[in-house]
Amino acid sequence: MNQKLLKLENLLRFHTICRQLHSLSQRRLLAWWKHGFSPAYPLWPEQLCAWPWQTDMLVGAALCQHRLFVTKKEKRPLRSQLSPLKPKRDVEVWVGMTVEELARAMAKDIDYIYEALLNTAIDIDSLEVNSHLDEVWIKEVIKKAGMKLRWSKLKQEKVRENKDAVRRPQADPALLTPRFPVVTIMGHVDHGKTTLLDKLRKTQVAAMEVGGITQHIGAFLVSLPSGEKITFLDTPGHAAFSAMRARGAQVTDIVVLVVAADDGVMKQTVESIQHAQEAQVPIVLAINKCDKTDADPEKVKKELLAYDVVCEDYGGDVQAVHVSALTGDNLTALAEATIALSEMLELKADPTGPVEGTVIESFTDKGRGPVTTAIIQRGTLRKGSILVAGKCWAKVRLMFDENGKTLNEAYPSMPVGIIGWRDLPSAGDEILEVESEPRAREVVDWRKTEQKEEKGKDDLKIMEEQRKKHQEAHRQAREKYGSVHWRRRSYIKYLERKEQRPLKPKEKAGKDSNVLPIIIKGDVDGSVEAILNLLDTYDASHECELELVHFGLGDISENDVNFAETFNGVIYGFNVDAGKAIQQTAAQKGVKIKLHKIIYHLIEDLQEELSSRLPHRLEEYPIGEACILATFSVTEGKRKVPVAGCRVQKGQLEKQKKFKLIRNGQVIWKGSLTSLKHHKDDVLVIKTGMDCGLILDEEKVEFKVGDEVVCYEENEIPAKTSWDPGF
């Protein structure tokens, strides 16, 4: 401030001196000296302030007041004069901060951030308040604001206490007691797994299986005549149930691999071997159907060598037993081999303390609610126990065995049905016992929160990737339009907007026909899992897009019908029912409900539905063929029309059909005829061996001797989806 005033004072002094010099030039200075000043003092600008003119008097007064003001000001501490330039303000920033966080750190409003990012490569329209900024844009905003950037680490969030439930440490060997083995029967479909188990249990399980195949994991406790007990898991052999077989191998002690002596090693046989090897579970080989005339057990053993399954006959450690599940031959030997292997493994468990186990299967029962089939692996399960599995918990109200008989206790290696779940856990979930219901809720809440946070992190990564893609596309668009005149640029953008116009109703209906929304309902968790795994193999989206709208357990409900109506989809039910009222509601709303009890029938139905959404393809069927023997022209009015003289060699030519002209194996024309004559008569049909003359509906086509004329018709053929689910 003082510097500005001093500059003003100097300017005023300069102005006064200039005026005095002008007065001297007019010879007035001498008179002024005589009346106003003493010669003893030099002539300074301060003295000249007394100039008698009114303007100079005002200037002098202003300067006097200014000197007084400056004198008083100088008596104060000279902070403003002595202090250096105001330093730049530090702004603490961090990687990944949002627009709102940056504005708060700079003490600015959000609009300031947007303005600072104008005319940059970033897409302002896509920026939201909670959008994350890259390091380069943070630096750009700080630079334009004239501030100093200071990077800091993110403040570490307070670590939440882990409230999850986990398995107990391994028990003291002194507390372990022997337990019976858990044996999984695996193999290819229709190789006799369930029939084998049926003979061991002396039941008729196989006869009750729909389509003769096992579609769920069956857990059964079998008591042998010797008094030994074995828990058997019967896994499906169909290709769709790979996840079930993998789950069975993870909870088992021994795998009984069933291979038909007449079929040998098949696709699911190899898959079962892989599951057992990955779980490091020993194998007992049961060569079934040895009673058939074309049975060749030795061939099976040799084929298994390629998959590292070496039988004892070939110097390995895999026991091979020749059996017949149909007649029951040698099943005792198979059971004894299994018991002998389990004794070698010295299977033991701790029957005390909190329960640990695994969910084998889960489903919803109409009268009992969520039900699970589980294998107990540690501890003793009793009525009233509080269990946690996945993000569900239960207070055990009822336990039962495979025959529906109520149980009071369930020990290690026992299969048991559990009723009392608040929600339905997933097959394969780990079961842990906790001390109270509040503790169970705490564990479930913890797991849900962890899942939500993980999902949030995954979503953030996806959003960041999409944002970078959008920025790159925006940058490319700027480069694309950078050198184009603004009129041309506006026209190009207009064309692009025109292409992105909303679809008309007819166009939208045509587009929707290439999308098949579906709803899947199943009886148990494992079945739905198997169907969803099959849907994951869908690779024909270029033909028809398959959209999974909803999936769940239990019978088809009105809510499912409403979903299907909203999305114009189809409901597929597996081993579930749809009441008459539901079917009537679906019929009124035009919703298809398709119920199946065999999984590959459901998939075949889905393939047919997908195929029905595809446009029909045209196929050409030849009716007759003719060869051009001569060419000439006729006059029609004032123009000459080329005519081909032909002889029919095969079939017949029909004027109303379509024709094509072939030269050297290449089709050079397709269309219709305007004239077909036999001698001078117009005809509609020319048969084999007859001569004719024909004129095409296109005059520019030139005929050549030796060309071939083919008469054909087009038929619409329903298209078939190229999706192959693997069976």
Side-chain angles (χ1 to χ4, degrees), residues 90-356:
D90 286 352
V91 179
E92 184 178 2
V93 297
W94 57 88
V95 177
M97 68 188 310
T98 63
V99 174
E100 184 179 15
E101 291 171 343
L102 180 59
R104 192 183 303 115
M106 296 174 63
K108 303 284 186 180
D109 56 10
I110 295 176
D111 291 337
Y112 182 87
I113 307 299
Y114 290 143
E115 292 175 3
L117 292 173
L118 286 174
N119 301 321
T120 61
I122 194 171
D123 185 9
I124 300 296
D125 297 333
S126 66
L127 276 183
E128 301 292 341
V129 175
N130 57 350
S131 298
H132 294 269
L133 295 172
D134 286 341
E135 181 179 338
V136 61
W137 305 126
I138 295 175
K139 290 181 178 179
E140 183 71 18
V141 174
I142 299 298
K143 180 180 178 181
K144 288 186 176 181
M147 299 180 179
K148 188 176 180 181
L149 180 131
R150 178 164 55 87
W151 292 100
S152 67
K153 296 182 180 179
L154 284 173
K155 296 180 180 179
Q156 295 183 354
E157 297 182 358
K158 185 178 180 181
V159 180
R160 295 187 298 118
E161 181 184 355
N162 190 336
K163 298 181 180 180
D164 198 3
V166 295
R167 285 183 178 266
R168 292 177 287 154
Q170 292 185 357
D172 186 354
L175 299 176
L176 301 180
T177 59
R179 64 176 178 85
F180 44 86
V182 178
V183 179
T184 300
I185 297 181
M186 291 186 171
H188 192 71
V189 63
D190 198 30
H191 275 202
K193 301 182 301 299
T194 307
T195 306
L196 179 64
L197 186 60
D198 171 45
K199 283 294 181 181
L200 291 170
R201 297 179 61 234
K202 296 181 181 179
T203 59
Q204 294 296 324
V205 177
M208 293 185 292
E209 293 288 358
V210 180
I213 63 172
T214 301
Q215 303 185 114
H216 306 115
I217 287 185
F220 308 98
L221 181 62
V222 177
S223 297
L224 301 178
S226 60
E228 300 287 347
K229 292 183 179 181
I230 303 176
T231 295
F232 281 102
L233 300 181
D234 180 22
T235 62
H238 195 271
F241 298 98
S242 174
M244 285 191 179
R245 284 191 294 278
R247 188 158 56 247
Q250 293 295 331
V251 297
T252 191
D253 302 311
I254 301 171
V255 167
V256 173
L257 182 65
V258 179
V259 184
D262 55 343
D263 280 350
V265 177
M266 304 296 284
K267 184 176 180 180
Q268 273 71 59
T269 308
V270 177
E271 187 181 298
S272 300
I273 294 171
Q274 292 174 349
H275 289 319
Q277 291 174 343
E278 289 174 2
Q280 298 182 352
V281 177
I283 294 175
V284 174
L285 177 62
I287 304 177
N288 194 22
K289 302 185 181 181
C290 290
D291 55 322
K292 287 193 172 184
T293 56
D294 56 347
D296 189 357
E298 294 301 321
K299 177 185 175 183
V300 172
K301 296 177 183 178
K302 292 178 181 178
E303 289 178 347
L304 290 173
L305 292 174
Y307 305 101
D308 296 330
V309 179
V310 184
C311 299
E312 292 178 340
D313 297 348
Y314 293 90
D317 55 358
V318 176
Q319 301 178 77
V321 184
H322 300 183
V323 299
S324 173
L326 189 62
T327 62
D329 292 343
N330 224 15
L331 293 187
T332 304
L334 177 62
E336 291 175 352
T338 305
I339 293 297
L341 181 57
S342 66
E343 291 176 353
M344 293 176 58
L345 296 175
E346 296 182 352
L347 301 174
K348 293 183 179 181
D350 178 14
T352 63
V355 171
E356 297 176 4

Side-chain angles (χ1 to χ4, degrees), residues 512-513 515-518 563-570 590-591 613:
D512 291 343
S513 65
V515 179
L516 176 58
I518 61 173
F563 262 121
E565 181 190 19
T566 303
F567 292 94
N568 192 24
V570 180
V591 174
R613 301 288 178 116

Side-chain angles (χ1 to χ4, degrees), residues 635-651:
T635 302
E636 292 184 355
K638 295 183 179 181
R639 58 192 180 90
K640 291 186 177 182
V641 180
V643 179
C646 306
R647 177 172 295 166
V648 181
Q649 297 176 334
K650 185 178 179 181

